[in-house]
Amino acid sequence: MAHNVPWTSSVFFEKILSEKKLNHADEAVARQFNEQGFVVIKNVIDPALADTAVAKLSQEKYHYSHKEPRQKQAWKGIEEVKKISTNKLILDTLRTLYGREPIPFQTINFKYGSNQKTHSDSIHFHSMPERFMCGVWVALEDIHPDSGPVHYFPGSHKLPVYDYQDMSAKFLPAQEADGAFYHNTYEPFIEQLVGSHQLKKEELLIKKGDVLIWSANILHGGSPQINPDLTRWSQVTHYFFKDCLYYTPAGSNRISGEYQLRKITNMITGKYTYGSYNGREIKMKRASGHRFLISDEAGLKMRAKRLLEEVYYRFAKK
């Protein structure tokens, strides 16, 4: 029986796992990822590579402050950042966990802790089929508990994938949900979700070169920075997977069928793609703004339905 999600998220996980015949180490990683939504792998990145990346990132000082401690897409100009994102062990682990080819498409480098409130990456970028997205967080230095480490909630990835339509009783087209909706509605919703499920928070205190892989829907954020003098050099790479459609849920409306599809760049190949749906190319029809109806056929069916209704009310009721 098929379940249209990554196999490590499937309700049939145990059956699939028994059929895969993984070695003991890979089976342990897959099982933890299924149960907890994350896995930590030690000594993945060469410390010398991490040091060189930090040295080059440090030269671009205008990117980093306590108010805005991050730099996006540094892989385009710093080769060491790209090498970290395309590390063989990371890619091989993702292939094992997702059963598809990983596509690294975004890097974010941090000098300081983000102080970001708890959230799920699935509100910022997601896929169809769902859950074919993950983050990989790499420590570029030893992480101190006072530096504002990443926090996360083990097991929270098993919660439903929530978007803006789940948080408003109104028919709220995506273009009407401004930035305030995220801070005023989404973040309090997630905070209440954590409390209602009594989720337990853990902090990520790992060493230089260690890696955290987290699933698309796990709740996480940045803990408060107790000592502002401490840095927290790190790198997050976000990965989609082959044969999926990629979109931004915060800019989409699944009720109206409008999706803010993403045209992503594969760091490995340098090629752009909108993706596909399980290998099938999907036609897109421009809707409002940067949003699309993801099938011309669906658009035709909707227009045909409206036409039939119009004919019915005009003639059948006479």
Side-chain angles (χ1 to χ4, degrees), residues 196-214:
S196 66
H197 286 271
Q198 298 182 328
L199 299 173
K200 303 301 181 183
K201 181 168 68 174
E202 294 184 4
E203 289 189 337
L204 183 68
L205 301 176
I206 57 177
K207 301 295 185 181
K208 183 194 300 184
D210 294 348
V211 166
L212 167 75
I213 300 174
W214 69 64

Side-chain angles (χ1 to χ4, degrees), residues 81 84-85 107-110 136-138 140 233-237:
V81 170
I84 291 169
S85 298
T107 59
I108 309 176
N109 288 90
F110 293 87
V136 176
W137 197 96
V138 179
L140 300 181
W233 282 106
S234 53
Q235 177 168 320
V236 177
T237 305

Side-chain angles (χ1 to χ4, degrees), residues 113-242:
S114 68
N115 291 296
Q116 190 172 7
K117 290 188 177 182
T118 302
H119 64 284
S120 165
D121 280 348
S122 61
I123 195 64
H124 299 295
F125 18 67
H126 206 41
S127 66
M128 292 179 278
E130 72 170 23
R131 299 177 187 260
F132 278 101
M133 199 287 297
C134 72
V136 176
W137 197 96
V138 179
L140 300 181
E141 64 177 335
D142 294 352
I143 304 304
H144 192 281
D146 293 345
S147 67
V150 168
H151 68 254
Y152 53 91
F153 295 85
S156 60
H157 67 301
K158 291 183 179 288
L159 293 169
V161 177
Y162 293 106
D163 60 25
Y164 286 179
Q165 285 71 56
D166 296 307
M167 302 170 196
S168 174
K170 299 178 181 179
F171 180 77
L172 190 66
Q175 62 269 25
E176 293 183 9
D178 57 23
F181 192 93
Y182 181 88
H183 298 293
N184 296 339
T185 304
Y186 175 81
E187 289 179 338
F189 178 93
I190 296 299
E191 183 178 2
Q192 186 174 348
L193 190 67
V194 168
S196 66
H197 286 271
Q198 298 182 328
L199 299 173
K200 303 301 181 183
K201 181 168 68 174
E202 294 184 4
E203 289 189 337
L204 183 68
L205 301 176
I206 57 177
K207 301 295 185 181
K208 183 194 300 184
D210 294 348
V211 166
L212 167 75
I213 300 174
W214 69 64
S215 61
N217 200 43
I218 195 169
L219 300 179
H220 64 283
S223 295
Q225 187 177 19
I226 297 172
N227 186 344
D229 294 328
L230 291 175
T231 59
R232 197 204 69 181
W233 282 106
S234 53
Q235 177 168 320
V236 177
T237 305
H238 291 112
Y239 299 77
F240 280 127
F241 291 83
K242 187 179 178 183

Side-chain angles (χ1 to χ4, degrees), residues 271-287:
K271 295 181 179 179
Y272 296 94
T273 181
Y274 279 108
S276 66
Y277 188 81
N278 289 332
R280 177 186 173 186
E281 185 176 348
I282 299 297
K283 294 182 179 179
M284 298 176 292
K285 181 181 179 181
R286 177 75 68 177

